[in-house]
Amino acid sequence: MTSAGNRGAFAESMRRAAARLVPGDVLWYVDTDAPRFALTFDDGPDPHTTPGLLGVLARHRARATFFLIGERVAAHPDLARAIAGAGHELGNHLLRDERSAQSPPERFARELARTGALLGAYGPVRWFRPGGGWFTPGMLRTAARQDLRAVLGTWAAAHDGGPGDARIADRLAPGVCPGSIVVLHEGTAARRGVVATTDDLLTRLAGRGLSSVTVSELAASAHR
């Protein structure tokens, strides 16, 4: 294994150890030996990014989970339909692109349910991801009452249109291993680079025998 791979494996093990200390029913990774990982995308759908991602995933015969924002689903129902129609999983990323932990509890519950209703038109929804990645025990209880479980991840990156975008796959690939959950971000014109990053990442990981699946598929492969 290369030094980058060693660093990635060490970082992955530290993330998994830290996740065990966090209270609440939150999925950070899956304990599995199956050669698969979950690829997830936040903040869509958007015409600048979603069609390109669907094309890349189709070429690689990969499946992913898209954590969608309710307002953007309402604005682009054709894209939400295309994601589900291509066999990908839909996740609830709340109604707006903002930090969920800052929402009053009543508003959080209302907007989680509203987004769930929008997504329910396209298929079942089992998972939610809080905006900004922060959560409270109250948020987890509210989500559980709506039959949702929280998903964060073991590796994450966000494109911003800058030169660093071209190096994201270099940083992520060495650490991804069986059971990892990778978080990428789409949803704006500045994040168009996520399409090329996804193509590069899937190519590299396929070379190591790893395939991309949905969060639900990854969870189903967990050790019992």
Side-chain angles (χ1 to χ4, degrees):
M1 183 180 292
T2 65
S3 59
N6 285 325
R7 289 194 299 272
F10 177 76
E12 173 87 359
S13 67
M14 291 300 98
R15 285 176 172 85
R16 294 188 180 215
R20 296 188 187 100
L21 302 176
V22 177
D25 188 21
V26 179
L27 188 68
W28 302 75
Y29 67 94
V30 172
D31 187 12
T32 181
D33 294 325
R36 48 176 48 182
F37 68 100
L39 182 58
T40 70
F41 299 99
D42 287 3
D43 296 344
D46 186 270
H48 294 101
T49 51
T50 306
L53 288 173
L54 292 177
V56 166
L57 292 168
R59 288 198 301 275
H60 286 271
R61 299 184 180 180
R63 284 159 61 87
T65 301
F66 286 75
F67 286 89
L68 302 180
I69 291 175
E71 287 185 339
R72 294 176 181 173
V73 171
H76 305 289
D78 54 325
L79 293 178
R81 188 176 302 110
I83 293 168
H88 305 296
E89 185 171 40
L90 303 183
N92 189 324
H93 202 35
L94 281 297
L95 193 64
R96 300 178 181 84
D97 187 6
E98 61 187 16
R99 294 184 181 275
S100 301
Q102 295 176 349
S103 294
E106 298 80 6
R107 178 184 165 196
F108 173 80
R110 183 174 61 252
E111 295 189 351
L112 187 70
R114 172 59 178 154
T115 302
L118 288 167
L119 295 173
Y122 308 104
V125 180
R126 296 180 55 193
W127 312 98
F128 92 99
R129 180 171 283 152
W134 295 95
F135 62 88
T136 66
M139 290 165 59
L140 300 183
R141 290 192 294 270
T142 295
R145 288 193 289 269
Q146 298 185 26
D147 296 320
L148 295 170
R149 184 181 177 190
V151 179
L152 292 180
T154 37
W155 295 98
H159 290 71
D160 60 11
D165 287 1
R167 298 188 294 275
I168 287 176
D170 292 337
R171 297 198 302 270
L172 293 180
V176 178
C177 62
S180 294
I181 298 174
V182 178
V183 184
L184 296 176
H185 295 75
E186 57 153 337
T188 68
R191 292 176 175 170
R192 286 191 182 97
V194 70
V195 176
T197 292
T198 300
D199 191 16
D200 190 5
L201 189 63
L202 289 171
T203 298
R204 294 176 188 225
L205 297 177
R208 290 169 43 203
L210 293 173
S211 59
S212 172
V213 298
T214 67
V215 171
S216 290
E217 289 169 328
L218 188 66
S221 69
H223 292 307
R224 302 300 180 188

